[in-house]
Amino acid sequence: MDSTKASGETAINMPESKSTKAKAVVYATTKATPLQQGGGWKRGVAIFDFILRICALVAALAATTTMGTTDQTLPFFTQFFQFQASYDDLPTFTFFVVANAIASGYLVLSLPFSIVGIVRPQAVGIKLLLLILDTVLVAFTTAAAASAAAIVYLAHNGNSNTNWLAICQQFNDFCQRVSGAVVASFIAAVIFIFLVVLSAVALRRH
Amino acid sequence: MDSTKASGETAINMPESKSTKAKAVVYATTKATPLQQGGGWKRGVAIFDFILRICALVAALAATTTMGTTDQTLPFFTQFFQFQASYDDLPTFTFFVVANAIASGYLVLSLPFSIVGIVRPQAVGIKLLLLILDTVLVAFTTAAAASAAAIVYLAHNGNSNTNWLAICQQFNDFCQRVSGAVVASFIAAVIFIFLVVLSAVALRRH
């Protein structure tokens, strides 16, 4: 205050330097805040990605085990036929079990990469790799679920045009368990789609 | 040049202003070059995206029309049965036609957005929207193709455990056309996967 009173020049200079300092502080904060926000935002997405992966793993494992352990033997038999239904009677159901087992294995293997995404939210390469593999798994899981659904629909309703009879009237318990497995697999496929969308949104904000 | 010779002060000031101009030019070029490179690279990806969309459109339209126009009537008939096979005898094939028609419609509607991607390679929002919709279409097209494939496999081979007889021994022409439609739909699904990967790679380089 004394120096500003002493000369006009210093009085002009002092507020100038103050304002530049103030500006510098403002710039520093505005530059730092979006980076911190972006990091925190990406970390949240990465944690959500990890949780979704565990949910998908549960769904895929449930689909695999439900289909794999389904086995129904009817309490009566004839000379020609034993009336037993199991998943390996139909090739589509075998593919279903294999595909969902592969999806489960992939999900277990992808969990460490998802954790890396939480620790280092700025790592782009891992996100891109997971996005590409997740997209392939979307197709894989959907193919398993849809083909099994087509067969289950046929087993429930039959088809008069092709003379394929509904077998679910006999094997009711078998059909219900298989339907549950198909629903679980569709849930896994939907979660995979969400994982792809999450990764894409996280990539955009890079 | 005359002013620099006239006074020392101007002589000192002139080179300074020249060097800052030169620096400014250097900064401008180094700033412009990666942008232009990135823009050109992104434009190439966008053009490839457009070509892939047209390929997928051709595949989806081929699948729809092949399945939709397939109709075989056998040259003999009995009192009870007319021996005619068409896609709407089986609900799975109807779903196949509807799903591939929707995929074709989506691809036609997405072409203008793909052109916007070529004109403005830096537009991120459109790429993200197309990526999300493409991922959903991956699941959609794969579901149609896989369910139809399961039924076609059954029609070709039958299944002794469920007493479902192979109908392709009678309807050979029908089965071959349907198999072709399924292959076309799988090709469309694979192209959709490539479109998702392309969009993801283009998003990463933002």
Side-chain angles (χ1 to χ4, degrees):
Chain A
M1 285 297 284
D2 290 336
S3 62
T4 51
K5 278 177 185 173
S7 71
E9 205 189 339
T10 7
I12 296 165
N13 281 345
M14 279 297 281
E16 263 196 312
S17 66
K18 261 185 187 172
S19 69
T20 41
K21 266 187 187 172
K23 271 185 187 173
V25 170
V26 167
Y27 285 147
T29 47
T30 47
K31 208 176 175 185
T33 314
L35 265 173
Q36 285 172 344
Q37 275 185 351
W41 184 85
K42 270 174 185 281
R43 199 176 292 265
V45 169
I47 291 169
F48 193 50
D49 179 280
F50 184 77
I51 294 168
L52 273 185
R53 265 171 215 286
I54 290 175
C55 294
L57 177 60
V58 170
L61 271 182
T64 313
T65 50
T66 307
M67 183 68 92
T69 57
T70 298
D71 200 348
Q72 188 182 9
T73 310
L74 293 190
F76 53 88
F77 54 91
T78 69
Q79 195 178 351
F80 308 105
F81 221 65
Q82 206 196 333
F83 295 115
Q84 183 182 20
S86 129
Y87 77 93
D88 53 359
D89 288 339
L90 287 153
T92 310
F93 290 164
T94 312
F95 168 65
F96 181 92
V97 171
V98 171
N100 275 289
I102 290 174
S104 307
Y106 162 74
L107 282 166
V108 170
L109 290 177
S110 75
L111 284 179
F113 292 97
S114 185
I115 292 170
V116 170
I118 297 173
V119 178
R120 290 188 182 180
Q122 309 296 335
V124 178
I126 289 173
K127 280 208 184 66
L128 191 67
L129 180 73
L130 284 181
L131 189 146
I132 293 171
L133 290 177
D134 284 347
T135 310
V136 174
L137 265 284
V138 165
F140 211 60
T141 325
T142 313
S147 55
I151 298 295
V152 168
Y153 180 84
L154 206 61
H156 269 291
N157 294 6
N159 189 288
S160 57
N161 298 299
T162 54
N163 255 350
W164 293 337
L165 297 174
I167 59 161
C168 283
Q169 290 162 0
Q170 287 89 47
F171 298 101
N172 193 25
D173 192 38
F174 174 74
C175 280
Q176 280 187 351
R177 284 182 67 110
V178 167
S179 304
V182 168
V183 170
S185 185
F186 268 119
I187 290 172
V190 169
I191 296 176
F192 270 121
I193 291 179
F194 276 112
L195 282 173
V196 170
V197 172
L198 261 191
S199 299
V201 171
L203 273 178
R204 190 193 65 149
R205 288 287 183 111
H206 179 56
Chain B
M1 286 299 281
D2 289 335
S3 63
T4 50
K5 279 177 184 172
S7 72
E9 202 188 340
T10 7
I12 297 166
N13 280 345
M14 279 296 282
E16 260 196 316
S17 65
K18 264 185 188 171
S19 70
T20 42
K21 268 187 187 173
K23 269 185 187 173
V25 169
V26 167
Y27 284 150
T29 46
T30 47
K31 208 176 174 184
T33 314
L35 265 174
Q36 284 172 343
Q37 276 185 351
W41 185 85
K42 270 173 186 282
R43 199 176 292 264
V45 168
I47 292 170
F48 193 51
D49 178 281
F50 185 76
I51 295 168
L52 273 185
R53 264 172 216 286
I54 290 175
C55 295
L57 178 60
V58 170
L61 272 182
T64 312
T65 51
T66 308
M67 182 67 92
T69 57
T70 299
D71 199 349
Q72 189 182 10
T73 310
L74 292 191
F76 52 88
F77 55 90
T78 69
Q79 196 179 349
F80 308 107
F81 221 64
Q82 205 196 334
F83 293 117
Q84 183 184 18
S86 132
Y87 78 92
D88 52 1
D89 289 338
L90 287 154
T92 309
F93 290 164
T94 312
F95 169 65
F96 181 91
V97 171
V98 171
N100 275 290
I102 290 175
S104 307
Y106 162 76
L107 282 166
V108 170
L109 290 177
S110 75
L111 284 179
F113 292 97
S114 185
I115 292 171
V116 169
I118 296 173
V119 178
R120 290 188 182 180
Q122 309 296 333
V124 179
I126 288 173
K127 280 209 182 65
L128 190 67
L129 180 73
L130 284 181
L131 188 146
I132 292 171
L133 291 177
D134 284 348
T135 310
V136 174
L137 265 285
V138 165
F140 211 60
T141 324
T142 314
S147 55
I151 298 294
V152 168
Y153 180 85
L154 206 61
H156 269 290
N157 295 5
N159 189 289
S160 57
N161 298 301
T162 54
N163 255 350
W164 293 337
L165 297 174
I167 59 161
C168 283
Q169 290 162 1
Q170 287 89 47
F171 298 101
N172 193 25
D173 192 38
F174 173 75
C175 280
Q176 280 188 349
R177 284 182 66 111
V178 168
S179 305
V182 168
V183 170
S185 185
F186 269 119
I187 290 172
V190 169
I191 295 176
F192 269 121
I193 292 178
F194 276 113
L195 282 173
V196 170
V197 172
L198 262 190
S199 299
V201 170
L203 274 179
R204 189 193 65 151
R205 287 286 183 111
H206 178 56

